[in-house]
Amino acid sequence: MDTYYRPEHLPKFSSIAQGNQKLADKFFDYYAEVFKAGALSAREKALIALAVSHAVQCPYCIDAYSKESLQQGADLEQMTEAVHVAAAIRGGASLVHGVQMLEHVQRQVMA
Amino acid sequence: MGAPESKELVGPRATTSLVSRASPLVSTAQQLKTLRQVDLSKLPNQGVFREKLTPAGIDIFQINVGKLCNMTCRHCHVDAGPDRTAEMMSRETVDLCLAALDKTTAKVVDITGGAPELNPHFRYLVEQCVARGKHVVDRCNLTILLAGPYRDLPEWFAARGVEVVCSLPHYRQRNTDLQRGTGTFEKSIEALRRLNAAGYGRGDPRLRLTLMHNPAGAYLSGDQKSMEREWKEGLQANHGVTFDALITLNNMPISRFLEWLEISGNLQAYMELLVNAYNPATVPGLMCRNTLSVGWDGRVYDCDFNQMLELDTRYADGRTAHIRDFDPQQLATRAIVTARHCFGCTAGAGSSCGGAIA
């Protein structure tokens, strides 16, 4: 293997069933059910998936959900805002730990 | 080619016509060849459209009255534009269409173009169809409703109960202007407001306002119902505009959209997408089975896409069909002409002039 990520792996996703058909069936059934329009529209779910794809930094998912977001009627501005939500949460997740650091400093440093 | 463009005719434009640029794709043989040459041999059906389609009776009589348009959208399958003045249905051919219509049981007359309103015989054709008790559909680009002599059309249509089917690829500006030219969105919203003011899009079944969505690129249309809900919310909240229904169509890999697919390097992937998304459940509802399409010069086709590829309808004996010798009994026994582009209508939820199929 010359690289860890291969675009041709995405369309082969279902071949993961070779090692355990039952678990794969359960997973893909669940997956399909999750993305059906419900209380949230198909477009909203695609945008959430797009944001999560960036948070988990999955290139397969970014490919798949860029395409799906467009197909479900999102445009570049909506998709960019979704990615910023991921960036804000990731950045915020780092920054909010700063409070732990701050309290550590407050405990250990003479005031 | 043709007369110089009239100033008042020039609306938003995303590109120019293939004809004005003398593109090789002006040749329909070249378009068909380009599609055939895409290597789809690794796909399950080798990218060959194998369905044998037969007609189910003519419900919709579609008349394409010409290629003249005030706009030049990037994805146009007609290669319409302000320079296409030469291809314009004559009064004589309009009358031949009406005579043919009287030989059918079609309930719907679907008038398209170009911008069909630009044909000088357009209002005559509409009046004649309404007088015959037909449900008339005008396929409208919206911006034409703001141009000088056409500004009265919302009220004129309303008085005759004409259904207006308008192109609006997105309820937000970006994707609308990308596909149809800068400024289109704003003009379209203004035109929709005028249609609303004339009583359209408010739930009155006599005054139906239908919006039509095409993707602004190399992907399929999404879920029609879901998108309709969001389009309705988006247009109402942001612009105070209402409409009755949204229909979704896939882009056909022909004419200007084919050119864009080639230039942008998307042709192979788009054809794979269409072929892989083949949905047999769409076949019974394909529009070529219940629609007949007449071109500006009276030639007859199984659909508007075949018309643009010059794939004429043929009687069982091999003769090409023309509106002047229209014979519905003989047409009922014909085989519908298909080629690779037909995967555009069978992909995903399917695609037709009436929207999704399956």
Side-chain angles (χ1 to χ4, degrees):
Chain A
M1 190 186 263
D2 51 10
T3 169
Y4 286 115
Y5 286 118
R6 289 176 175 276
E8 63 269 27
H9 284 177
L10 179 56
K12 289 183 189 160
F13 190 6
S14 60
S15 67
I16 202 71
Q18 282 173 24
N20 189 320
Q21 186 70 44
K22 192 173 148 201
L23 288 179
D25 287 347
K26 281 179 185 287
F27 176 81
F28 288 115
D29 282 353
Y30 165 79
Y31 195 103
E33 197 65 30
V34 163
F35 279 96
K36 281 185 185 159
L40 293 174
S41 70
R43 182 186 62 96
E44 287 164 334
K45 288 184 180 182
L47 287 171
I48 293 169
L50 182 68
V52 175
S53 304
H54 284 77
V56 299
Q57 292 178 308
C58 164
Y60 303 112
C61 315
I62 292 171
D63 246 25
Y65 286 96
S66 296
K67 184 176 144 212
E68 182 67 10
S69 296
L70 285 170
Q71 188 166 324
Q72 294 303 339
D75 66 8
L76 177 65
E77 285 146 1
Q78 294 172 336
M79 291 161 69
T80 305
E81 285 185 20
V83 172
H84 277 293
V85 170
I89 294 294
R90 280 196 71 134
S94 293
L95 199 56
V96 73
H97 286 80
V99 179
Q100 204 175 334
M101 171 275 294
L102 178 65
E103 288 186 351
H104 186 96
V105 170
Q106 286 168 341
R107 268 198 312 273
Q108 292 217 315
V109 176
M110 288 177 289
Chain B
M1 176 91 206
E5 297 175 3
S6 127
K7 241 191 187 154
E8 72 172 31
L9 250 191
V10 180
R13 51 173 63 187
T15 181
T16 52
S17 73
L18 298 173
V19 163
S20 72
R21 286 180 274 122
S23 157
L25 290 178
V26 169
S27 151
T28 53
Q30 181 63 34
Q31 292 185 42
L32 289 163
K33 188 173 159 202
T34 303
L35 287 178
R36 273 197 309 273
Q37 282 176 342
V38 178
D39 180 10
L40 302 173
S41 58
K42 290 197 177 67
L43 302 188
N45 52 10
Q46 291 81 50
V48 180
F49 193 86
R50 294 181 202 277
E51 291 289 344
K52 302 281 176 240
L53 300 175
T54 50
I58 305 167
D59 297 329
I60 303 167
F61 197 96
Q62 189 173 55
I63 306 174
N64 191 316
V65 295
K67 297 181 195 291
L68 185 63
C69 191
N70 58 321
M71 299 176 74
T72 28
C73 301
R74 203 176 290 280
H75 69 305
C76 183
H77 71 281
V78 179
D79 195 31
D83 56 311
R84 304 301 301 269
T85 51
E87 300 89 350
M88 180 70 82
M89 186 174 278
S90 67
R91 170 65 186 262
E92 189 195 350
T93 306
V94 168
D95 283 326
L96 288 173
C97 286
L98 292 167
L101 176 64
D102 290 337
K103 293 187 194 169
T104 74
T105 53
K107 291 185 173 61
V108 177
V109 179
D110 183 328
I111 307 175
T112 186
E117 303 86 352
L118 292 174
N119 183 301
H121 315 296
F122 172 74
R123 293 188 197 224
Y124 166 74
L125 173 59
V126 173
E127 298 266 32
Q128 289 295 315
C129 295
V130 169
R132 285 164 166 77
K134 305 295 179 188
H135 177 76
V136 178
V137 173
D138 174 52
R139 294 207 176 257
C140 179
N141 70 18
L142 286 174
T143 66
I144 193 70
L145 300 179
L146 305 184
Y150 311 100
R151 295 169 74 93
D152 68 316
L153 276 173
E155 291 76 20
W156 193 86
F157 284 146
R160 288 153 188 83
V162 174
E163 177 177 353
V164 184
V165 178
C166 309
S167 305
L168 189 74
H170 208 273
Y171 61 92
R172 289 163 40 80
Q173 183 174 347
R174 174 183 288 270
N175 285 8
T176 300
D177 284 2
L178 281 178
Q179 183 187 84
R180 302 176 70 75
T182 305
T184 300
F185 185 75
E186 213 172 298
K187 285 195 159 84
S188 300
I189 294 297
E190 175 57 25
L192 286 170
R193 286 203 179 104
R194 290 185 190 192
L195 285 163
N196 279 168
Y200 275 97
R202 301 189 177 283
D204 179 348
R206 233 189 113 258
L207 300 178
R208 255 182 99 69
L209 176 58
T210 303
L211 298 189
M212 213 191 83
H213 157 80
N214 289 85
Y219 52 96
L220 299 181
S221 289
D223 178 66
Q224 184 167 284
K225 276 257 163 304
S226 193
M227 286 169 92
E228 179 180 289
R229 216 166 26 241
E230 302 203 314
W231 256 238
K232 281 189 172 170
E233 282 169 15
L235 285 174
Q236 169 75 279
N238 298 318
H239 305 285
V241 163
T242 58
F243 65 95
D244 295 302
L246 177 83
I247 58 176
T248 56
L249 274 82
N250 292 333
N251 286 314
M252 261 301 142
I254 65 173
S255 195
R256 289 213 288 265
F257 188 65
L258 175 60
E259 181 193 44
W260 177 81
L261 286 172
E262 269 198 301
I263 290 172
S264 63
N266 277 300
L267 180 57
Q268 176 81 31
Y270 190 68
M271 290 311 294
E272 288 175 7
L273 175 69
L274 293 184
V275 173
N276 280 326
Y278 175 72
N279 178 0
T282 60
V283 171
L286 289 174
M287 64 175 172
C288 51
R289 301 196 62 227
N290 72 346
T291 305
L292 206 67
S293 155
V294 187
W296 67 274
D297 53 359
R299 286 160 72 184
V300 174
Y301 305 86
D302 297 315
C303 73
D304 201 50
F305 302 121
N306 278 4
Q307 178 176 147
M308 298 315 148
L309 290 169
E310 296 184 288
L311 297 171
D312 295 68
T313 289
R314 287 178 185 275
Y315 290 110
D317 64 10
R319 280 179 304 131
T320 58
H322 192 279
I323 202 68
R324 84 170 81 77
D325 47 40
F326 181 76
D327 183 341
Q329 278 76 40
Q330 280 203 54
L331 281 173
T333 62
R334 78 192 192 272
I336 289 168
V337 182
T338 59
R340 241 180 195 175
H341 65 290
C342 298
F343 282 109
C345 287
T346 55
S351 181
S352 74
C353 286
I357 301 168

